[in-house]
Amino acid sequence: MKLLEYGDSILRRKSKVVKPGDPDVAEGILEQMLVRMRSSDGIGLAAPQIGLLKRLVVIDIPSEPHSILKLINPKITWSSEEMKCCEEGCLSLPGIYEVVERPASVTVEYFNEDFEPCIIEKAQGILAVCLQHEIDHLNGVMFIDHLERSQKSKLSREFRKRQKEKAILEAAAEADVELMGEGPEAEEWCSSKA
Ligand code: CO
C-alpha cells in the first residue's frame, strides 16, 4: 500500500460518501489502513492518502488509551470557539512539521464498520487535532493550507527539495545494489533508508 505524497493531485480532490455494503469496507480496508499507518509510525490516515477517494479515516494515538478508531463518513458537527496551537506532521508530507491553530475541541459524528451511527463528543487535545487533520484530507485539504501564505510556500519548497534529494539517493542506491549484487551489504543499505 503506497502512501501518496504532497504534490499528487489525488490529495487535492474531495472524497465520496461511503455507502453501506461498500466492497472496500467489506474487505477490511480500514484494518489494512491501520497496519499501513502504524508501519510508518503515523497516528492517523485518511483514504485519499492511499489513493482511495472515499470518506474513510483511521486513528490510533498510542498515548491515548482506547483511541483506535475506524471512521466512515466522519463529520464535524460542533467546534469550540476556543482555538489551540499544536505542532502537526503528515504521512503525505514526511519530514515537515509546523504549528497549526485549530478549534481546541470538536464533536464528530461517523459510522463504524458495521454502519452504526457513532459520536465522539467534545474531543480534545491530540485527538481533536487528529480528527480535524484527517477530515481535512477527505476534503482535499492539507495541514499546511492552514498556514500563512509565505510560511506555506517556504515549507512546500523545502518538501520539494527533500523529494528531489530522496530521488537522487534512491537512484544512487539502486546503482550501488546493481554493482554489489544481492549480498547482505546491499540489503542493509536499502532497509536503512526505508
Ligand atoms: Co495528513
Side-chain angles (χ1 to χ4, degrees), residues 55-187:
R55 304 189 81 81
L56 300 170
V57 163
V58 293
I59 291 176
D60 181 8
I61 304 167
S63 59
E64 305 234 327
H66 316 297
S67 75
I68 300 173
L69 292 165
K70 297 173 180 171
L71 307 115
I72 299 175
N73 301 333
K75 200 172 163 186
I76 295 169
T77 54
W78 174 85
S79 306
S80 65
E81 272 177 38
E82 188 201 337
M83 304 289 280
K84 209 171 175 182
C85 290
C86 185
E87 186 174 76
E88 295 186 29
C90 180
L91 291 175
S92 295
L93 269 162
I96 302 292
Y97 298 89
E98 191 51 75
V99 173
V100 178
E101 189 182 35
R102 298 181 186 268
S105 177
V106 288
T107 293
V108 170
E109 291 182 27
Y110 67 99
F111 293 89
N112 66 13
E113 255 180 319
D114 300 318
F115 252 91
E116 295 159 339
C118 300
I119 186 164
I120 303 167
E121 282 198 79
K122 299 193 173 173
Q124 292 189 13
I126 193 158
L127 178 60
V129 174
C130 196
L131 284 164
Q132 294 175 79
H133 177 120
E134 302 312 330
I135 292 170
D136 267 355
H137 274 304
L138 304 181
N139 297 318
V141 175
M142 307 275 293
F143 83 89
I144 60 170
D145 299 338
H146 292 283
L147 305 173
E148 275 180 33
R149 188 184 283 261
S150 61
Q151 181 64 356
K152 181 182 164 178
S153 47
K154 186 184 144 235
L155 289 177
S156 160
R157 271 198 309 275
E158 196 180 311
F159 182 67
R160 273 198 291 269
K161 198 174 144 230
R162 259 170 210 268
Q163 271 182 318
K164 235 179 250 171
E165 285 167 357
K166 207 174 106 191
I168 291 167
L169 271 176
E170 271 167 5
E174 231 166 78
D176 271 357
V177 170
E178 270 166 33
L179 287 175
M180 295 190 291
E182 296 292 331
E185 238 180 303
E187 260 172 50

